[in-house]
Amino acid sequence: MQSTRIVLASRPTGMPTAENFRTETVELPALAPGEALLQTLYLSLDPYMRGRMSDAPSYAPPVRIGQPMVGATVSRVLETTDDTVRSGDIVLGYGGWQTHSVEPVRILRRLDPAAAPPRTALGVLGMPGFTAYSGLLTIGRPQPGETVVVAAATGPVGATVGQLAKIRGARAVGIAGGPKKVALLRDYFGFDAAVDHRAPDFAEQLAAATPDGIDVYFENVGGAVFDAVLPRLNRYARIPVCGLIAGYNDTELPPGPDRLGLFMSMVLRRSLTVRGFIQTEFAAEQYPAFLADTAGWIAEGRMKYLEDVVDGLDNAVEAFRGLLVGRNLGKLVIKVAD
Amino acid sequence: MQSTRIVLASRPTGMPTAENFRTETVELPALAPGEALLQTLYLSLDPYMRGRMSDAPSYAPPVRIGQPMVGATVSRVLETTDDTVRSGDIVLGYGGWQTHSVEPVRILRRLDPAAAPPRTALGVLGMPGFTAYSGLLTIGRPQPGETVVVAAATGPVGATVGQLAKIRGARAVGIAGGPKKVALLRDYFGFDAAVDHRAPDFAEQLAAATPDGIDVYFENVGGAVFDAVLPRLNRYARIPVCGLIAGYNDTELPPGPDRLGLFMSMVLRRSLTVRGFIQTEFAAEQYPAFLADTAGWIAEGRMKYLEDVVDGLDNAVEAFRGLLVGRNLGKLVIKVAD
């Protein structure tokens, strides 16, 4: 069996370009015991993949040059040497940017297409949803009446954060780029207020949208949004940090002055909690509850989601580049096969 | 009854000077019900007082111009209209920088001179000790075998942090200025390693003293020490932030590049927890346990303390200026009367 795959050809400087990737077709190895041959149906594209393209030290090793780009996939089992899955099963796997993959069965999760559309296992019922759930509820801990702010708020993490904040009785303020996304935040996702970070008076709009200050800022973008949030943080505010997409393509530090000491003095004077996290650290304890809770909220209409499905693995590179500048609308997935 | 007091004459720019203070003698008011007339025996001098001299927004209101400088005191009750204390009692109060004060009895705490030298209520058995106890145990949570780093380590907060780390089975690394303090850290307080932040190769020494990285950095100084600590922080490291004395006299931000985004990316990639705090937020829950635990450790010889007693309220301003640049050796107190 052959697989067509997109491999990392070179490490990007700044925004990845088409030249950093290469498409190739390889022969897959025969199945060893405990493995399955999978056909990729949907590939998840997520901001963290930009980090894996670099070899800066991080919580996960980088993709090696010449290896396929990593990524979660919804796949169909074509063949297996392990009887815990069967041919034809739909599973969540980690096949990466390729049409077919061989994976150990123990890392796969069987999906029930009757319970939820399988694609949701890449979004609201998958890693992005659990990032929002674990980070907001464990670190952010919004209380009734508090104000929760999140950016990239039409994305799968941000949209879940805002709706979870509402479920917990807090006030949800979303930040997004452009009037279309801002309207979606209010009209579709039910945020209490929404602000366009591209507006010239963004900081003033954010201040007006947070008259009682900010108690939880769920950080997934950094940059200019963080700068506007900082002066609004209340005493005891919590900042779960799951991503900093605005800076992922930076090639040098911004010019001064150096605000690190100023920030630390805010942390001190306002008793702030800043906590970086990766959802995996909470998975063992919280994943089953997350799946049950979220499925319930979706069924009750309290948790909505939005998907941006791009057709064809050939379009993955351009779609990924768009993701890094917010061109997608909702959870970005590549439809690889029917 | 008259009180001689040191009032805030003007707000400092940078390092406070003698001109920012004024000594005056005032007539104290007659006692209202529930009050006590106190004679100050010892006045505590602490870094936080620099913050109260400025009118930048903070967790506590600034000292007003013309008002006495604030401060905890060990005092003798001379007269009272409340029978919960008696004339002659030694109490912990908040008389500030003056020889006598009138205070509500409900805020006083009676001290038993037979149980512990009353002066310790300003240090190891008072606010600085509790800052170390609550911040290290609640936020830092050192585990056996982990590495805890603290600066200003011969001071009452730092020395307690190091010894508490040892009590919890962690490795304690202290940072202090000059060979005399560094020797004290090892020989008197029992730190596992001690580093001089004035040494030209400070960062290299700190790296050598933390071969397994840093799991808890108890932040009370900021500045160049923080810069040297940052690259040593392990995944899941905790940073309780109780003070930033290195920057208290800064009048402008340091030049660039701006490292705030870089710091946030470290928070993310290493799943760091950064938490500013003021000990008062933990007092209701933890103060009784702190007093009992610490008294026990002192009795067992597991918790030592060091005091720097300066004679005479006249010397308070110069002693306070020295505190801001580390000229004191141990907990700084002014002996105001016998």
Side-chain angles (χ1 to χ4, degrees), chain A residues 18-216:
Chain A
E19 286 65 46
N20 298 128
F21 303 90
R22 187 176 63 237
T23 301
E24 55 183 41
T25 298
V26 299
E27 195 72 32
L28 290 173
L31 294 187
E35 289 186 336
L37 172 66
L38 306 178
Q39 177 185 27
T40 308
L41 304 180
Y42 293 99
L43 162 66
S44 181
L45 292 184
D46 301 279
Y48 78 84
M49 294 166 174
R50 176 63 185 83
R52 302 292 175 86
M53 298 180 76
S54 297
D55 54 6
S58 191
Y59 50 84
V63 175
R64 278 175 296 156
I65 301 292
Q67 289 297 303
M69 285 289 294
V70 292
T73 50
V74 167
S75 301
R76 182 186 291 119
V77 177
L78 298 184
E79 198 186 321
T80 177
T81 55
D82 187 300
D83 61 7
T84 56
V85 293
R86 288 190 299 190
S87 182
D89 280 354
I90 305 298
V91 296
L92 174 68
Y94 300 90
W97 298 27
Q98 54 185 341
T99 59
H100 297 78
S101 62
V102 169
E103 296 184 60
V105 168
R106 63 178 163 71
I107 71 167
L108 305 176
R109 181 155 63 86
R110 276 183 63 183
L111 301 174
D112 177 3
R119 225 160 44 196
T120 57
L122 303 176
V124 67
L125 283 168
M127 180 274 286
F130 185 59
T131 297
Y133 182 97
S134 59
L136 186 70
L137 301 187
T138 306
I139 302 169
R141 297 188 310 281
Q143 305 301 309
E146 286 193 332
T147 297
V148 175
V149 172
V150 65
T154 57
V157 177
T160 305
V161 165
Q163 294 175 92
L164 266 177
K166 297 287 294 176
I167 287 169
R168 287 297 169 105
R171 190 161 174 279
V173 177
I175 299 170
K180 185 176 176 185
K181 289 183 177 179
V182 166
L184 269 174
L185 291 181
R186 268 190 290 244
D187 302 339
Y188 180 68
F189 288 116
F191 281 70
D192 296 286
V195 182
D196 184 351
H197 69 78
R198 293 182 188 152
D201 61 342
F202 163 59
E204 290 73 24
Q205 284 194 32
L206 182 66
T210 56
D212 300 324
I214 297 172
D215 300 295
V216 180

Side-chain angles (χ1 to χ4, degrees), chain B residues 97-118:
Chain B
W97 298 26
Q98 54 185 342
T99 59
H100 296 80
S101 62
V102 170
E103 296 184 61
V105 168
R106 64 178 162 72
I107 71 165
L108 305 177
R109 181 155 62 86
R110 277 182 64 184
L111 301 173
D112 176 3

Side-chain angles (χ1 to χ4, degrees), chain B residues 169-186:
Chain B
R171 190 161 174 278
V173 177
I175 299 169
K180 184 175 175 186
K181 289 182 176 179
V182 166
L184 268 173
L185 291 181
R186 269 190 290 244

Side-chain angles (χ1 to χ4, degrees), chain A residues 221-235:
Chain A
V221 301
V225 169
F226 187 51
D227 297 347
V229 162
L230 275 179
R232 308 293 306 156
L233 292 169
N234 289 332
R235 194 169 178 198

Side-chain angles (χ1 to χ4, degrees), chain A residues 57-58 236 241-242 244 253-260 263-265 267-269 271-276 278 281, chain B residues 57-58 235-236 241-242 244 253-260 263-265 267-269 271-276 281:
Chain A
S58 191
Y236 300 122
V241 182
C242 82
L244 296 161
L253 297 180
D258 184 2
R259 297 178 303 158
L260 177 52
F263 176 67
M264 291 301 285
S265 80
V267 167
L268 172 60
R269 283 183 284 117
S271 294
L272 304 181
T273 299
V274 184
R275 168 73 153 86
I278 312 297
E281 63 178 287
Chain B
S58 190
R235 193 167 180 201
Y236 300 122
V241 182
C242 84
L244 297 161
L253 297 179
D258 183 3
R259 297 179 303 159
L260 177 52
F263 176 68
M264 291 301 286
S265 81
V267 166
L268 172 60
R269 282 183 284 118
S271 294
L272 304 182
T273 299
V274 185
R275 168 70 152 88
E281 65 178 285

